[in-house]
Amino acid sequence: GAVVSQHPSRVICKSGTSVKIECRSLDFQATTMFWYRQFPKQSLMLMATSNEGSKATYEQGVEKDKFLINHASLTLSTLTVTSAHPEDSSFYICSAPLTSGSKEQYFGPGTRLTVT
Amino acid sequence: AQRVTQPEKLLSVFKGAPVELKCNYSYSGSPELFWYVQYSRQRLQLLLRHISRESIKGFTADLNKGETSFHLKKPFAQEEDSAMYYCALSRGGSNYKLTFGKGTLLTVNP
């Protein structure tokens, strides 16, 4: 099946610094990728839709200047949390549909971000 | 806006017993419904979708538009079914976005 990877799996950063999370589709091309945030014991909340070659589409309430998304190629999307604060600590998950038009999404393993 | 409700946070059954994980949704259009599963220490993966109407690992789910429900059922639960189950909704058409319920943690006891 299709594989989506994320790097790093776990990161700790200091308050005020920026951290980049990568999402890669390993064996397929993804013109669209999604970024989710999951709080402890809660559901996945869609943050933004990453579009290859164009600007990301952010969900209501998500600060685009704080969560920078770059979809530079058909296999890579990055999420940069800028000027991180402890409240940004969370589990970030990306996903991608296998083909354009497919509703079935393949998920990455997630990245645990801790801001101290 | 669409919403997905999974009323049970936790569900515990014994092996061999029937199991039903409830999912209700609110959306004025024609949604597509999915069940995703997350086994311990693994990533989220698709279990089934209403359009395909197939049975995966013995699980089935029927979309009931009258009751706006998409409950997940299995007649005889197995220990390996223990996992977190998420119901999700897509608005249909070319819209890929998924709205997830809060999930139900299923535990199947021996």
Side-chain angles (χ1 to χ4, degrees):
Chain A
V3 178
V4 174
S5 71
Q6 282 184 242
H7 177 80
S9 58
R10 187 181 289 265
V11 58
I12 300 173
C13 70
K14 291 188 176 179
S15 200
T17 63
S18 296
V19 61
K20 181 186 286 188
I21 302 170
E22 294 184 349
C23 176
R24 291 182 187 273
S25 55
L26 297 186
D27 49 1
F28 67 102
Q29 294 181 331
T31 54
T32 302
M33 290 183 174
F34 299 93
W35 285 98
Y36 296 86
R37 184 171 177 176
Q38 186 175 33
F39 294 97
K41 300 186 180 181
Q42 294 192 33
S43 186
L44 286 80
M45 189 182 70
L46 179 65
M47 298 175 65
T49 303
S50 174
N51 304 299
E52 189 270 334
S54 65
K55 290 182 180 180
T57 307
Y58 291 81
E59 296 301 300
Q60 192 171 14
V62 178
E63 298 176 60
K64 60 179 72 174
D65 293 331
K66 179 159 187 67
F67 298 100
L68 299 178
I69 291 173
N70 184 17
H71 198 142
S73 76
L74 288 170
T75 58
L76 173 64
S77 174
T78 59
L79 169 68
T80 301
V81 183
T82 62
S83 187
H85 289 283
E87 55 264 33
D88 298 325
S89 298
S90 195
F91 198 56
Y92 293 88
I93 304 171
C94 70
S95 73
L98 181 61
T99 59
S100 178
S102 169
K103 293 299 181 71
E104 181 176 343
Q105 293 188 22
Y106 289 85
F107 285 81
T111 297
R112 171 74 60 194
L113 169 65
T114 303
V115 184
T116 60
Chain B
Q2 62 272 21
R3 184 185 299 176
V4 177
T5 303
Q6 293 180 249
E8 303 139 329
K9 274 190 175 179
L10 304 171
L11 183 61
S12 183
V13 301
F14 285 103
K15 176 183 172 181
V19 63
E20 180 179 55
L21 291 89
K22 290 185 168 52
C23 172
N24 289 90
Y25 66 90
S26 63
Y27 177 58
S28 55
S30 293
E32 291 187 43
L33 275 297
F34 304 82
W35 276 100
Y36 279 84
V37 60
Q38 187 169 28
Y39 299 102
S40 179
R41 303 190 185 211
Q42 294 187 31
R43 68 188 68 195
L44 207 61
Q45 57 185 285
L46 179 67
L47 180 62
L48 54 78
R49 54 192 297 186
H50 90 267
I51 284 182
S52 58
R53 299 185 64 81
E54 56 189 343
S55 172
I56 304 293
K57 299 185 179 183
F59 284 98
T60 59
D62 289 317
L63 179 61
N64 186 323
K65 293 187 177 180
E67 295 182 359
T68 59
S69 68
F70 188 57
H71 303 327
L72 183 67
K73 300 177 184 178
K74 184 168 182 176
F76 308 104
Q78 303 299 315
E79 289 180 69
E80 54 265 30
D81 295 328
S82 295
M84 192 74 173
Y85 291 80
Y86 292 96
C87 183
L89 176 152
S90 169
R91 288 188 285 181
S94 60
N95 194 310
Y96 300 89
K97 294 184 192 179
L98 289 175
T99 298
F100 284 87
K102 293 191 174 182
T104 298
L105 180 61
L106 173 66
T107 302
V108 181
N109 300 298

